């Protein structure tokens, strides 16, 4: 694991330390959790965009526009 140095407002750092303590964890653990979530959200967005592109290539509405009522018919 690589060490890094970050800068932030002292009040924010102290507030995060208190929150981490209340959650029985550490500031480092919370940062690693945030970093992983941040990276995964980016990957999820890319995966979603790829799926939408794939579906658009396979299916077409023929230029038709659908009303809410038509789309919700069963």
């Amino acid at each position: 694991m690589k060490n890094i140095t970050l800068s932030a407002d002292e009040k924010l750092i102290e507030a995060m330390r208190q929150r981490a303590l209340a959650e029985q964890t550490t500031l480092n653990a919370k940062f690693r959790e945030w970093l992983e979530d941040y990276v995964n959200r980016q990957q999820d967005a890319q995966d979603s965009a790829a799926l939408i592109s794939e579906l658009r290539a396979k299916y077409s509405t023929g230029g038709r526009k659908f009303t809410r009522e038509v789309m919700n018919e069963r």
Side-chain angles (χ1 to χ4, degrees), residues 3-5 10 34 40 44 52 56-57 69 71:
N3 289 328
I4 61 172
T5 301
E10 289 179 38
W34 172 83
N40 288 338
D44 289 346
I52 289 169
R56 282 185 176 154
E69 290 78 20
M71 289 175 49

Side-chain angles (χ1 to χ4, degrees), residues 50-68:
L51 176 61
I52 289 169
S53 294
E54 182 181 330
L55 290 173
R56 282 185 176 154
K58 288 182 179 180
Y59 303 101
S60 173
T61 63
R64 294 177 293 166
K65 303 234 182 210
F66 297 97
T67 65
R68 179 184 302 192

Side-chain angles (χ1 to χ4, degrees), residues 28-60:
N28 280 334
K30 293 305 284 182
F31 177 74
R32 286 191 297 269
E33 181 181 313
W34 172 83
L35 189 60
E36 187 173 329
D37 288 345
Y38 180 79
V39 170
N40 288 338
R41 276 193 306 258
Q42 178 65 29
Q43 186 60 48
D44 289 346
Q46 290 171 348
D47 292 346
S48 296
L51 176 61
I52 289 169
S53 294
E54 182 181 330
L55 290 173
R56 282 185 176 154
K58 288 182 179 180
Y59 303 101
S60 173

Side-chain angles (χ1 to χ4, degrees), residues 8-23:
D9 183 89
E10 289 179 38
K11 291 178 183 177
L12 289 175
I13 293 171
E14 186 56 34
M16 190 61 193
R17 278 194 178 120
Q18 293 301 316
R19 182 173 173 181
L21 182 64
E23 295 176 9

